[in-house]
Amino acid sequence: MTNTATGSSARRTETAPGPLLAAWKAAASPDGLARTLLPPDAALPVPAAGAAVWDRIPAGTLVSVRERAEAEVGTPWPQPLASQYARFFRDGNRTVYESNVFERQDRLTRAVLMAVASRESGWLDEAADGIVQLCEQSSWCWPAHEESCRPRGTVLPDMAAPCLDLGAADVAAQLAWADHVLGAELDARFPGIRERVRAEVRGRVLDPFVLRQDWHWLGLDGDVHNWCPWICGNVLVAALRLAEPGEDRARQVALSVAGIDRYLAALPDDGSVDEGYEYWWNGACRALEALDVLEHATSGALDATGIPVVRETVRFPHRMHLGGPWYLNLADARARPPADQPWHVPYRWARRLGEHDGVRHAVSRRGAAVPAAAELGRALRELTDAEWLGAGGGEPPLVPTVWLPGTQVGVARPAGGTARGLTLAIKGGHNDEHHNHNDVGSVVVAVDGVPVLVDAGRPTYTAQTFGPDRYAIWTMRSGWHNVPVIRGAEQGQGGRFRARDVEVVDKPDLFEVRLDLAAAYPLPEPARWWRTARLDRRESRVTIEDVWSLAGDGDPSVLHFLLAGQVERPSAGQVVVRPADGGRAALVTWDPERVTAALTVRTLEDPMLSDVWGDHLTRLELQLPGTARGAFDIQVGVQE
C-alpha cells in the first residue's frame, strides 16, 4: 500500500548503490553526465515532426487516434473544477476530478500526434490550446496526493508549494515530448509558448525534485514502490528536453537515475513485482522506458542490458499470463486488466536480451492501432519503432511452471504452450506488500485460462483505499480471499503476518507448494496451519489440503473459496462453476460428511469489479470442526 509523507526538511540519506550505479559508477554522476548527455534537441529517442519516419507510419496505426481527435475538434476541452478537486477531501471521491484531468491530457496527446502525422496547422492550434490549458491548470498534482491541504485545513492546493506526484510528473513529461516533436512549428506559430512551458515545468517539477529531498516516493526510508520509477522516469524526460544544458540538468538526470536504481535494487532477484502484473506496467515498465531514454541520451554510455534484474523483470508479464486476456492478479491488480498496454517496451527489451518467450508474448498481445488514450511518450516511441511495427503475430508462450521466491508466487499448468486444462496459482508472502491485500496462502485456479477460483481484485479508488480504514474494504480482507478464517480470526495486517516454511516441488507430473499460514493470523503459539496446493498434471486435478494443529479445541474454522461465474450445487459435496464466457466448467468437490457448506452471493456494482467478473461473485464456505488437530482437502477438476 502506498502512503504519502509530508514535510520538507528531511535530508536525502545516502544509500548503497544499486545495480545501475554499481555498474556505471562515475558515468552516472552529475559530472559524468554533464560530459555525455546529448543536447536537449537530440536527447529524446524520437525524430521531430517533418522527419521521414513520420511518412512511413503503417496505414491504420493512427485510426483510433484520428477518429477520436476529429470528433473532439470544436468541442469544449475537459475542465477540471475546484468543486471536483474538493470532493476528495469532502466525500473521498477522486474519480470525477481525475477523469477530467486524464481526458484533457489524452486530448492533447491526440492533437500532438495528429499535428506530427498530418503537418496541418489546425492540429497545431489544437495542440497549443491543450498545452496552454495545462500551463494554466492550478495544480498538476492529483487531489489524493496533495499534501498541503489537510495541514492547512483547505480543500484546494497551495500553488506556492507545488506537490510533485504522479500527476505532476506525467504532465511535465507530456509537455516535454510535445515540445520535442513540435518545437519548431510551435516557435513559428505560437512564439513564446515554449518559454511558458519551461517556466511551468521548472517551477512545478524540476526545482521541487532537486530542492525537496523528502518525497516519500524516493524510497530513501527503504520502502521503494512503483511511484519511484514512474516519477523519476518522467522527470528524466522533462530534464533532458526542457532544462538548459549545464550542471542543473546533469544533477536532475543523476537524481532520476539514482531513483530508478533504487527501485531496481528493491526488486527481488527474480524480477517479480508484489503489486502484481497490472502494476508492472507502472513500475518496472516505467524503469525500462527510462533506461531506453537514458541509453539514447548518453549515446550508449549508460547501457542496462547486462543488469540481471532487468532481464528477470522483462520475464515477469508472460510468467503471470493465465491465458487470453486473463492474468494472475495480486494486490490491487485486476485479473482482466486493460489490453492496451505499451507492448513495444517489453518486446524491445526481450528482443535485445534474447528472451524469446517475452518476444512471443508481446507480439501475441499487440493491437492493430495506437490506443486513443495512449500516453504521448509511449505512442511516439511505438510509432517510430520500425521493428515493432513490422513484427509478425504469434502465440503466447504460456510457460509450464513458474516459482518466484522473491514474492513466493507460483503458477503451474499441465503443459507449456497451451492454456488447456487446469492452471494453479498460489502465493505466500506477507501482509505488508505494496497495494497489499491480506491474502497469504491464497490460491487461484483457472480452467482453460479462465479463472474460476479467483481473487476479486479491488474496487474504484477512494480516500478510504489508502487510509486507515483500508482493511474495512471487503476485497482487501482475508475473509474474501481463498484462505481460511481460523477460529473466527482473519489474517492480520503488517509484515509480521506472513507465510512460514515454504516448500516447493516441481516435477514433470506434479507441482506442489506447501506453506504454514499460522503466522499470518493473530494466533497463540504453538499453532500451525499447513496449506498444500497441488497440481497433478497427469490427472489434471488440483488439490488444496489444509492440516492444522492449534492450542486445544475451540471455535470452528471456515475455508473460503471465491467463485466466478454461475455456481450450481448438483449434490452435497460439490459445486459446478461455469465461467461467464461459456467455457468449460470447474467441478469443486469435498467430503460432505465432515463439514457444513454454504454459499454467499456478493453483488458487484462497482465497474472495477463487475467489468471483470460480471454482476456477482459467490463465496463457498466450508465450516471445519473446532478440533485442535485435523485435516481437510478439496479438489478441483474440469467438468467435460
Side-chain angles (χ1 to χ4, degrees):
M1 185 172 69
T2 300
N3 297 307
T4 56
T6 60
S8 59
S9 60
R11 295 181 60 82
R12 188 185 302 271
T13 59
E14 296 298 326
T15 56
L20 299 179
L21 296 183
W24 295 340
K25 298 182 173 62
S29 69
D31 288 343
L33 288 164
R35 291 189 293 270
T36 59
L37 287 178
L38 293 173
D41 61 355
L44 298 184
V46 170
V53 67
W54 296 111
D55 297 326
R56 298 195 294 267
I57 298 174
T61 307
L62 282 176
V63 61
S64 299
V65 170
R66 179 181 293 277
E67 289 176 355
R68 183 76 176 272
E70 289 177 344
E72 291 167 333
V73 171
T75 65
W77 281 74
Q79 294 295 330
L81 302 175
S83 58
Q84 298 164 351
Y85 201 99
R87 282 197 63 179
F88 177 77
F89 304 98
R90 291 172 175 160
D91 63 16
N93 183 295
R94 57 186 285 182
T95 305
V96 174
Y97 180 85
E98 288 178 4
S99 295
N100 273 327
V101 167
F102 301 156
E103 289 169 9
R104 171 183 277 186
Q105 289 184 247
D106 290 345
R107 178 167 173 174
L108 171 58
T109 288
R110 290 187 285 270
V112 172
L113 293 176
M114 294 306 301
V116 172
S118 71
R119 307 299 304 282
E120 296 174 4
S121 60
W123 291 117
L124 192 64
D125 290 350
E126 176 88 347
D129 287 343
I131 289 170
V132 172
Q133 287 192 62
L134 286 182
C135 290
E136 293 179 345
Q137 190 169 300
S138 294
S139 174
W140 294 344
C141 175
W142 303 338
H145 305 156
E146 175 55 59
E147 61 185 31
S148 70
C149 291
R150 295 195 192 280
R152 294 184 301 120
T154 70
V155 294
L156 297 176
D158 182 357
M159 295 176 63
C163 183
L164 177 49
D165 76 324
L166 299 174
D170 268 352
V171 172
Q174 183 180 27
L175 292 175
W177 286 110
D179 182 271
H180 179 73
V181 292
L182 295 178
E185 284 80 356
L186 290 170
D187 270 339
R189 193 166 178 84
F190 293 94
I193 192 173
R194 298 177 71 199
E195 287 76 9
R196 173 71 184 279
V197 165
R198 281 159 174 75
E200 297 290 348
V201 170
R202 182 174 59 250
R204 299 180 192 228
V205 173
L206 296 180
D207 286 350
F209 179 62
V210 174
L211 296 175
R212 276 201 50 181
Q213 302 179 355
D214 66 333
W215 300 110
H216 75 90
W217 43 263
L218 287 171
L220 293 168
D221 59 356
D223 182 21
V224 190
H225 49 77
N226 71 310
W227 282 37
C228 188
W230 192 346
I231 293 175
C232 288
N234 279 329
V235 171
L236 171 69
V237 169
L240 288 171
R241 178 63 191 181
L242 301 178
E244 292 294 327
E247 293 181 4
D248 288 348
R249 179 173 181 250
R251 177 165 172 73
Q252 292 158 2
V253 172
L255 291 174
S256 299
V257 174
I260 295 162
D261 181 57
R262 202 175 300 115
Y263 174 78
L264 292 177
L267 289 182
D269 290 343
D270 56 34
S272 57
V273 175
D274 60 3
E275 294 157 310
Y277 160 79
E278 185 175 1
Y279 282 82
W280 182 91
W281 294 101
N282 282 326
C285 184
R286 299 283 182 178
L288 296 176
E289 291 172 278
L291 293 174
D292 269 338
V293 170
L294 190 63
E295 182 177 358
H296 172 86
T298 60
S299 302
L302 300 186
D303 178 358
T305 54
I307 305 298
V309 73
V310 170
R311 177 183 294 274
E312 291 300 324
T313 203
V314 168
R315 295 170 171 167
F316 185 72
H318 74 256
R319 287 171 162 174
M320 296 295 99
H321 191 199
L322 298 177
W326 299 98
Y327 288 79
L328 175 61
N329 60 311
L330 307 173
D332 280 346
R334 288 168 285 183
R336 188 166 60 186
D340 290 339
Q341 302 289 1
W343 289 102
H344 58 96
V345 180
Y347 169 84
R348 185 161 51 248
W349 276 94
R351 191 175 184 279
R352 292 179 64 189
L353 295 170
E355 291 290 333
H356 302 299
D357 284 346
V359 170
R360 291 173 58 197
H361 182 237
V363 297
S364 74
R365 306 297 292 150
R366 63 176 295 167
V370 171
E375 293 180 23
L376 181 55
R378 288 177 162 180
L380 292 171
R381 289 291 277 143
E382 178 172 1
L383 289 167
T384 55
D385 188 336
E387 290 181 350
W388 167 250
L389 294 176
E395 295 296 321
L398 294 169
V399 294
T401 305
V402 174
W403 174 252
L404 300 173
T407 47
Q408 297 182 343
V409 171
V411 180
R413 51 177 53 87
T418 177
R420 183 78 175 175
L422 291 176
T423 298
L424 166 67
I426 183 169
K427 78 171 295 289
H430 58 83
N431 282 334
D432 195 27
E433 297 168 337
H434 297 113
H435 290 262
N436 182 70
H437 290 199
N438 291 339
D439 61 354
V440 173
S442 189
V443 295
V444 168
V445 178
V447 175
D448 301 337
V450 181
V452 286
L453 272 66
V454 307
D455 183 314
R458 57 95 172 172
T460 299
Y461 283 162
T462 66
Q464 183 183 5
T465 308
F466 298 112
D469 296 327
R470 175 180 175 87
Y471 294 96
I473 301 171
W474 68 271
T475 61
M476 316 300 185
R477 295 170 43 194
S478 67
W480 286 92
H481 284 82
N482 297 329
V483 296
V485 172
I486 302 178
R487 295 192 168 170
E490 295 189 22
Q491 291 185 8
Q493 194 276 317
R496 69 184 180 90
F497 296 99
R498 59 177 58 241
R500 296 185 298 202
D501 302 328
V502 180
E503 302 172 358
V504 181
V505 175
D506 182 20
K507 298 178 179 179
D509 59 350
L510 175 71
F511 176 78
E512 178 180 285
V513 177
R514 182 174 185 262
L515 64 171
D516 179 12
L517 306 186
Y521 295 80
L523 299 175
E525 292 288 357
R528 293 291 183 267
W529 193 287
W530 290 101
R531 165 158 285 188
T532 303
R534 181 182 304 115
L535 171 64
D536 184 328
R537 290 183 164 109
R538 290 177 303 179
E539 300 294 331
S540 191
R541 181 176 67 248
V542 166
T543 301
I544 304 164
E545 179 186 62
D546 289 274
V547 178
W548 62 91
S549 175
L550 304 174
D553 294 346
D555 293 334
S557 300
V558 182
L559 295 177
H560 286 167
F561 296 99
L562 198 58
L563 311 175
Q566 295 304 121
V567 178
E568 303 167 2
R569 196 170 175 182
S571 62
Q574 61 179 233
V575 294
V576 175
V577 188
R578 302 189 184 281
D581 67 354
R584 291 196 299 169
L587 177 64
V588 183
T589 60
W590 62 90
D591 182 352
E593 301 299 322
R594 301 180 57 212
V595 297
T596 301
L599 296 172
T600 297
V601 175
R602 184 97 195 196
T603 301
L604 304 179
E605 297 177 350
D606 189 306
M608 289 294 293
L609 297 169
S610 60
D611 287 354
V612 176
W613 305 117
D615 60 8
H616 73 281
L617 289 168
T618 304
R619 185 173 68 179
L620 171 63
E621 301 149 358
L622 302 175
Q623 183 169 296
L624 304 172
T627 56
R629 292 174 176 79
F632 190 77
D633 65 69
I634 73 164
Q635 296 188 343
V636 184
V638 180
Q639 187 183 60
E640 299 292 347

